[in-house]
Amino acid sequence: MHLDHIGIAVSDLESAISTYEKLLNRTCYKREVVAKQSVETAFFKTGESKVELLAATGSESVIQKFIEKRGEGLHHVAFEVNDIEEEIHRLKKEGFTLLSETPSTGADNKKIVFLHPKESNGVLVELCQSID
Ligand code: CMX
């Protein structure tokens, strides 16, 4: 596993992009709406990893709920794996609760699955695998 990206929940994507462009001294290289997750994302390259800004696109979005409950901030940490199905199987055997049985398609052309934050010390963990 290697750290692929960290996800940061933001209320105003335009304003957050401008902040992170100044902070990281580089431009956002990709924006993408993930309709299934009700989010709009913006990505920054930071060495081998990335920063993903996430804003809700509707009131049903988990990002909306997260911000209402906890405010803006670190939302998840994503690790890239070589074989996501194999990792799901391994982690289930280790006793983790996967938030879905099978991966779904997320931003950045990846298969993704999440582990419940309660079982990883309060951090929502995403596993991802690039779709070739
Ligand atoms: N990180 C850490 N803790 C979190 C959290 C997060 N991102 N989101 C929720 N929690 C905590 C809440 O604070 C709450 O804790 P308490 O019980 O102590 O109050 C608990 O988890 C339950 O939270 P909730 O607000 O009732 O939210 P839900 O249980 O309805 O949903 C979760 C939480 C993680 C199951 C849901 O957000 C989920 O399924 N996430 C996976 C999908 C996702 O995050 N998609 C967006 C990213 C898409 C992308 O990257 O493309």
Side-chain angles (χ1 to χ4, degrees):
M1 286 194 195
H2 84 268
L3 181 64
D4 183 77
H5 66 267
I6 59 159
I8 298 172
V10 305
S11 307
D12 179 337
L13 192 61
E14 301 305 328
S15 157
I17 288 173
S18 163
T19 300
Y20 277 79
E21 284 187 336
K22 284 184 219 145
L23 193 152
L24 299 170
N25 197 21
R26 67 203 60 185
T27 51
C28 159
Y29 74 92
K30 176 151 68 170
R31 289 180 66 158
E32 189 179 344
V33 172
V34 187
K36 224 175 150 192
Q37 302 273 344
S38 300
V39 295
E40 184 170 5
T41 63
F43 285 91
F44 293 85
K45 289 202 169 100
T46 47
E48 302 221 331
S49 305
K50 290 160 262 176
V51 170
E52 176 187 30
L53 304 178
L54 300 132
T57 56
S59 55
E60 73 290 357
S61 170
V62 295
I63 298 300
Q64 181 72 24
K65 191 174 180 190
F66 177 88
I67 289 176
E68 277 164 15
K69 215 166 171 180
R70 301 164 60 115
E72 293 181 293
L74 181 65
H75 180 260
H76 66 266
V77 173
F79 296 103
E80 170 122 57
V81 298
N82 293 329
D83 184 335
I84 199 164
E85 277 85 8
E86 197 177 293
E87 282 302 314
I88 290 172
H89 181 66
R90 184 183 72 79
L91 290 166
K92 274 168 79 174
K93 265 185 32 189
E94 292 285 3
F96 288 92
T97 306
L98 279 298
L99 291 174
S100 63
E101 286 295 313
T102 51
S104 57
T105 305
D108 211 19
N109 202 30
K110 289 188 188 300
K111 292 199 266 185
I112 61 170
V113 73
F114 289 87
L115 275 72
H116 200 282
K118 292 287 170 208
E119 291 173 358
S120 37
N121 304 82
V123 175
L124 176 62
V125 172
E126 174 187 328
L127 302 180
C128 59
Q129 181 187 350
S130 293
I131 300 168
D132 309 315

